[in-house]
Amino acid sequence: MIKEAMLYEKLDDAKVQCRLCAHRCRIAPGKRGFCAVRENRDGTLYTLNYNVVSSEALDPIEKKPLYHFHPGTSVYSLGTIGCNFRCKHCQNWTISQISIDEANAIEMSPELAVKRAVASGARSIAWTYNEPTIWFEYTYDCARLAKEEGLATVYVTNGYITKEALETIAPYLDAFRVDIKAFTEDFYREIASAELAPVLESAKLAREMGMHVEVVNLIIPTLNDSEDEIRDMSKWIYENLGADTPVHFTRFHPYYKLQDICSTPLDTLERAYSIAREEGIKYVYIGNVPGNGHEHTFCPECGELLIERGMFGMDSNKLTERRACPRCGEEISIVSDDWDGCRV
């Protein structure tokens, strides 16, 4: 379905400027923006993927990964076509880097999406698998309906959303699971065709707006794995997002256009874990390494094992009803309004 876009400005000579993501594309008539799913037709900007669904699944919330947001519950997950990044290591490139004109997808109205989410028994609905910002009008309409049905809402995002777009959807968005792909502009420019600064700004703004924020950093050998870079990023998270912000360091595997780089050594991930803890981050995790021991939640005060996780799910939960450590009483930063339903 083609629909007039939100958040754009009409310019001279029938050009338009999109104000949805940090690229802020100026688009001539008959052309598309960097995301390739927003097109200028005679001076009006249209979204080409409004209700186009490429991916649908019922996932454990831990798979996003979100470890401190309604743990132990399910999330109804939807993805579309396209992206505003060109990541050379994208694991979902078959939906993010193809043309909308050749997509293998279905159409699903916001009303049907929310109905299916409720029927699935999910606690929340997430827009994920590719960048949700480029699907803004659809996610906005879905999120408003989802809140009416009591569903929590999640963006799994690269963080390239503009301030005005984030402010628009903020009343209906509960969680902002953001990738900080590296902590250098060189990486963002050369690997993702983007910039770091807007990502940091949106993550900080999401936190200030009261959203639950968790950070993922995929560590790629030789590209973003230096100890100095990891320490700088950890310091920034501590100072700008807070010590309670969960940080996930995840393992890279050769994929897409970066198949000549080896998988991340476990030692590198464990060193990143130690650096983040040294810099004051209370909740640090290692991902894409099943059984590594750092997928669990420990009390940052006394070290007690609180939440134990297996393959993308919660196996046990020892927290008290007030979300505190049963051993020392330390309050743990967990979002859940149905705590009994999250216990195993």
Side-chain angles (χ1 to χ4, degrees), residues 2 12 32 40 60 105 110-112 126 164 187 194 199 214 222 233 245 254 271 278 282 285 294 303-304 320-321 325:
I2 296 173
D12 294 336
R32 297 179 182 179
N40 180 350
E111 291 79 8
L112 179 57
E164 49 264 51
F187 179 100
V199 178
E214 298 195 25
T222 73
M233 182 182 67
T245 304
R271 182 57 185 147
E278 289 167 7
K282 293 182 179 181
Y285 301 99
H294 293 305
E304 179 78 359
T320 68
E321 290 184 0
C325 173

Side-chain angles (χ1 to χ4, degrees), residues 84-105:
N84 53 0
F85 277 18
R86 297 290 183 268
C87 296
K88 294 180 179 179
H89 55 290
C90 181
Q91 64 177 355
N92 290 328
W93 67 271
T94 55
I95 62 171
S96 71
Q97 304 301 320
I98 67 168
S99 167
I100 188 73
D101 304 306
E102 58 185 7
N104 181 16

Side-chain angles (χ1 to χ4, degrees), residues 32-309:
R32 297 179 182 179
F34 189 81
C35 64
V37 292
R38 309 176 81 75
E39 182 174 293
N40 180 350
R41 297 188 176 182
D42 300 321
T44 299
L45 186 63
Y46 289 91
T47 173
L48 307 180
N49 64 342
Y50 174 75
N51 62 344
V52 176
V53 173
S54 68
S55 311
E56 176 192 25
L58 184 65
D59 292 323
I61 192 68
E62 288 79 10
K63 190 176 179 181
K64 296 298 104 183
L66 281 166
Y67 280 9
H68 289 233
F69 186 76
H70 299 287
T73 65
S74 297
V75 54
Y76 179 74
S77 304
L78 293 174
T80 186
I81 298 295
C83 191
N84 53 0
F85 277 18
R86 297 290 183 268
C87 296
K88 294 180 179 179
H89 55 290
C90 181
Q91 64 177 355
N92 290 328
W93 67 271
T94 55
I95 62 171
S96 71
Q97 304 301 320
I98 67 168
S99 167
I100 188 73
D101 304 306
E102 58 185 7
N104 181 16
I106 63 171
E107 293 190 351
M108 184 186 300
S109 69
E111 291 79 8
L112 179 57
V114 172
K115 182 179 179 180
R116 290 174 69 86
V118 172
S120 74
R123 179 62 189 85
S124 53
I125 182 170
W127 299 281
T128 177
Y129 306 128
N130 68 320
E131 176 51 41
T133 302
I134 67 164
W135 209 14
F136 185 81
E137 293 80 4
Y138 183 76
T139 64
Y140 176 80
D141 289 346
C142 284
R144 294 180 65 183
L145 293 172
K147 299 308 294 180
E148 293 176 3
E149 295 294 334
L151 291 170
T153 53
V154 178
Y155 255 27
V156 177
T157 177
N158 61 29
Y160 225 51
I161 191 169
T162 62
K163 179 181 179 181
E164 49 264 51
L166 192 56
E167 288 175 340
T168 299
I169 201 170
Y172 312 103
L173 192 57
D174 297 309
F176 194 80
R177 213 290 286 133
V178 61
D179 288 316
I180 299 181
K181 296 179 181 290
F183 211 67
T184 66
E185 291 291 358
D186 285 348
F187 179 100
Y188 267 85
R189 181 176 59 255
E190 295 169 11
I191 304 299
S193 299
E195 298 177 358
L196 169 62
V199 178
L200 302 183
E201 286 302 312
S202 70
K204 185 177 177 181
L205 183 60
R207 179 73 177 212
E208 292 171 354
M209 290 177 169
M211 297 176 203
H212 175 76
V213 177
E214 298 195 25
V215 172
V216 168
N217 176 235
L218 179 74
I219 299 183
I220 306 175
T222 73
L223 295 182
N224 65 349
D225 62 343
S226 78
E227 293 189 6
D228 287 344
E229 181 174 343
I230 292 167
R231 192 173 298 279
D232 287 344
M233 182 182 67
S234 299
K235 288 179 178 178
W236 185 90
I237 293 170
Y238 178 87
E239 293 170 0
N240 293 274
L241 303 182
D244 288 339
T245 304
V247 176
H248 306 256
F249 293 108
T250 57
R251 189 178 206 177
F252 164 84
H253 292 294
Y255 207 70
Y256 194 34
K257 296 180 179 180
L258 292 186
Q259 297 190 38
D260 58 336
I261 297 179
C262 66
S263 297
T264 316
L266 183 55
D267 287 351
T268 301
L269 295 164
E270 290 179 338
R271 182 57 185 147
Y273 176 96
S274 296
I275 289 171
R277 293 289 288 124
E278 289 167 7
E279 295 302 329
I281 306 298
K282 293 182 179 181
Y283 309 107
V284 185
Y285 301 99
I286 291 177
N288 292 346
V289 187
N292 72 87
H294 293 305
E295 65 265 72
H296 311 311
T297 298
F298 297 89
C299 176
E301 183 65 25
C302 72
E304 179 78 359
L305 174 60
L306 301 175
I307 298 178
E308 190 172 5
R309 298 180 180 86

